[in-house]
Each structure stands twice: as C-alpha cells, then as structure tokens.
Amino acid sequence: MKSHLARISPFILALAAAGAQAEEEKVLNVYNWSDYIAEDTIAKFEAATGIKVTYDVFDSNEVLEAKMMAGNSGYDVVVPTGDFLQRQIAAGVYMKLDKSKLPNLRHMDPEIMAKAAAHDPGNEHSVVYMWGTTGIGYNVGKVAERLGDDAPTDSWALVFDPENAARLADCGITLLDAPTEMIPAAMNYLGLDPQSKKKEDIEAGAELLMKIRPYVRYFHSSQYITDLANGDVCLSVGWSGDVFQARDRADEAGNGVEIAYVIPKEGALMWFDNLAIPADAPHPDNAHKFINFIMDPQITADITNYVWYANANKDSLAYVDPEILADPGIFPPEEVKARLWTAVAYDARTDRIVNRAWTRVKTGN
C-alpha cells in the first residue's frame, strides 16, 4: 500500500498544482487613459466578482506603447488606440481573445466593430471601448473677443491660420502631444491626404505647425481639460470627450466659462480606443471577466454618461443620457461622419519621419 501511494502521489500533486494555476488569484491590473471611466465602474466590478483592481492611467499612446513593447508590464487589460493597436498586434504584444468568455459581445454594434477591424482583423485581439473625434475645444467668449463674431469656429483655420493663432496666443492655445494626430490634421487642412506616408506631405504638415508654434502655450494630452474649464486657456486641439468634460466642469463651477467643441468642416480624425489583453498578462481569465463586465449595456452607458465619449455598444444607447445622444459632437450625423478619417499604422521608416518632424515642432527648432 505504501509503495502504491508513493507512486501516485506525484500525479496527485501535479493535479493539485494544475488546479491552483487554473484558479487565478483575485487580482487585476488595468492601464487606461486618464479621466476615462465612470467613478463607480471599478467598485462595481470588484463587488460583482471579488477581484481586486489596481487601476493606473496614462495620457499618450506613446507611453503605453513603450511599456507594451518592453514586455513584462504586469498589466492585464490596456486601452490602445486603433493604429497603435495594429502595429502592436503585429509585434505579438496581445493575445487573441477567447470569445467564449465574452458573451456580452452580442451587445456590440457590428458596423462600428467592422470599422475598428481595419486595425484588428476580425476583432480577434480587442473590443472597442470608446470612440470619438479629434477636433477643437474653445472658450466662446474669449475667441469672440479676439476674432469677432465672424471667427472661423467651424474650421481648422481657427488654429492653423497663423494670423488667428497670433491673436489667440495671449489667452492660451494648446495642442495634443500626439504627433500621429496633429501632423495629419495639419496635412488635411493643407488639402493633403491625412493618411499619407509621403515624407514631403508629413514635412508640409509639420511646417504648418511650425508657423503657429510661437503662439502655442504647451503640448499636453490631458492638462487642457482643467485649463479650458477654468478659463486658463482659450483654445485646445483635443479629444471630443475631454472637451465635453471641460465644458461640464465649467458649468458645474458656474465660473462664466462657456466651452464649445467643433468637428472642423474640413474633416477630422475618428479614432477607436480598444480593450486588449497583453500576451504576458498575469491574470488573463480575470481580464476576460473585466472586458465582459465593461460590455454590459448599463455599465457601458454609465461610462459614456460620465466621460462624454461615444461607445460601440448598441444596447447601451437606451441608458445613455438623451442630451449626449443628441449631441452631434459626440454622435456625429452621417454627413459629418463622411468627412472623418481613421489613422493608419506607420511603418518604422514613416514613424521615424513623423517623430523627427514632431521633435522639431515641439522644440521650435
């Protein structure tokens, strides 16, 4: 009997070890954009699952990409934008989703998911979290004071025309610290293809930015929310939901600051932020549970109602604030959508050209 038990005990130990591995520790590490989730979403997930969440934030795709490309980040769920997601998938950064663990996929809008699939064929590695546009947020009163009632507030000329930029410089112009968004926007204003990878087109866009560079107070991808709301700056090229957050904060403060957001008539970037699981995520099962939880229509609607970004969850719209649903800056009408472009993933050569051009713009040299 003793001999027999000795023979089977390694097998029993192996089974026990496998069972322990299958039962993930109740921990999840999330890395998301700043100001980009409802105040109670994490608490609700923890209450529903018993999983403790560590939630960290970033404010640029470049920061996220550096961590993902280095590997061993320790994160289980991250939120890259489509073009960055595309090249990170090519580098083997993300695992394929186990869709059998994501029953709430049935709530997603197939049309929007198909557009996002341009960066992730078949949506195999990602689920759309939120989407929006990159346009102009501005202080209505201060812009009118400096440019008059006929200010071109429906056009990129508001910021890309050096004469306008010079007259707005004293009240504060800010640009996103996002070369893959700012340079194509300038290219588009010049009548060039914003998706072009030609060196001469990229350099033309950078040259336009150089002309307004003396009038730019700073380059940052989140600080402008607070500064717009407080009246500390009067024009920011920014992300739709961020500008709406600034508008909401100004309204709540009752400080007399009126913020507006416009998708310029020349067109603008339509982007998708996506939930994805790193290939080396320590808690992939918990990550799937989190992504599935986010796709619950009520949870998605709660996030949209807080951050003022459009989502890709068709069944959530019944719970979205009617004011948000009716806002063309958040859910653009079809004629506006027709003028939107999506970002393209740059190859290494184009990436170097863009980054060199952007360094020149930021430094002013």
Side-chain angles (χ1 to χ4, degrees):
M1 178 69 72
K2 185 184 288 188
S3 173
H4 179 63
L5 284 173
R7 283 199 307 274
I8 66 170
S9 60
F11 176 67
I12 293 172
L13 289 171
L15 281 177
Q21 289 172 358
E23 191 78 25
E24 284 183 0
E25 60 178 335
K26 290 197 171 288
V27 172
L28 183 74
N29 302 313
V30 178
Y31 198 35
N32 195 2
W33 294 84
S34 58
D35 297 301
Y36 209 30
I37 198 165
E39 291 179 304
D40 59 357
T41 306
I42 297 301
K44 284 181 176 178
F45 174 74
E46 290 178 333
T49 63
I51 296 170
K52 176 63 178 174
V53 177
T54 298
Y55 187 87
D56 295 333
V57 300
F58 58 90
D59 64 9
S60 81
N61 270 298
E62 289 76 14
V63 169
L64 172 61
E65 181 162 86
K67 287 187 182 291
M68 292 298 98
M69 291 302 196
N72 298 311
S73 68
Y75 291 112
D76 300 299
V77 178
V78 297
V79 192
T81 305
D83 52 324
F84 282 80
L85 170 78
Q86 182 177 345
R87 66 185 185 188
Q88 290 160 17
I89 289 172
V93 166
Y94 301 114
M95 66 173 63
K96 288 187 177 181
L97 299 176
D98 182 347
K99 294 185 180 181
S100 69
K101 297 179 179 179
L102 301 172
N104 282 337
L105 275 170
R106 68 184 184 276
H107 300 300
M108 302 303 285
D109 185 318
E111 181 181 340
I112 297 175
M113 290 291 282
K115 288 182 178 179
H119 298 300
D120 177 18
N123 307 112
E124 289 192 334
H125 303 81
S126 64
V127 171
V128 175
Y129 177 63
M130 296 282 145
W131 66 270
T133 54
T134 301
I136 301 172
Y138 64 97
N139 183 308
V140 174
K142 289 186 176 182
V143 168
E145 282 175 11
R146 287 155 180 80
L147 298 182
D149 293 335
D150 58 349
T153 53
D154 63 344
S155 169
W156 282 113
L158 189 64
V159 60
F160 288 152
D161 182 327
E163 289 188 15
N164 292 331
R167 292 163 69 184
L168 294 172
D170 72 299
C171 63
I173 295 173
T174 79
L175 303 183
L176 290 169
D177 188 5
T180 60
E181 300 199 30
M182 290 306 313
I183 293 176
M187 291 159 58
N188 174 70
Y189 178 67
L190 293 171
L192 302 171
D193 179 1
Q195 296 181 321
S196 173
K197 297 179 183 179
K198 295 178 181 177
K199 183 179 180 181
E200 58 268 30
D201 291 348
I202 293 168
E203 290 181 344
E207 187 57 37
L208 175 60
L209 292 169
M210 285 292 285
K211 290 178 181 177
I212 66 166
R213 175 65 183 84
Y215 314 117
V216 175
R217 184 170 296 180
Y218 63 74
F219 299 82
H220 202 276
S221 297
S222 60
Q223 182 180 337
Y224 67 93
I225 303 173
T226 299
D227 288 349
L228 270 178
N230 292 341
D232 294 332
V233 301
C234 65
L235 187 152
S236 295
V237 176
W239 295 311
S240 49
D242 283 3
V243 176
F244 290 122
Q245 284 186 54
R247 182 183 70 182
D248 197 35
R249 291 181 190 180
D251 289 343
E252 288 177 358
N255 58 9
V257 173
E258 181 184 355
I259 302 298
Y261 175 77
V262 63
I263 299 173
K265 62 185 180 183
E266 297 89 355
L269 175 69
M270 178 185 189
W271 47 260
F272 303 93
D273 286 336
N274 308 275
L275 298 162
I277 304 175
D280 58 0
H283 312 102
D285 191 52
N286 293 345
H288 280 85
K289 289 176 183 176
F290 182 77
I291 292 173
N292 194 60
F293 180 82
I294 293 295
M295 287 189 291
D296 177 278
Q298 183 65 66
I299 296 300
T300 300
D302 290 346
I303 296 171
T304 286
N305 289 338
Y306 184 76
V307 303
W308 290 65
Y309 278 106
N311 68 64
N313 188 316
K314 59 181 173 56
D315 296 327
S316 78
L317 301 184
Y319 308 106
V320 171
D321 185 329
E323 180 187 357
I324 293 174
L325 275 180
D327 194 316
I330 303 174
F331 289 93
E334 290 305 316
E335 63 269 22
V336 175
K337 279 187 182 178
R339 298 196 299 271
L340 303 179
W341 72 83
T342 55
V344 293
Y346 292 142
D347 53 43
R349 171 190 164 276
T350 307
D351 208 37
R352 285 193 297 271
I353 294 169
V354 169
N355 286 332
R356 278 198 295 267
W358 187 242
T359 298
R360 192 165 72 252
V361 170
K362 285 188 68 177
T363 61
N365 297 319

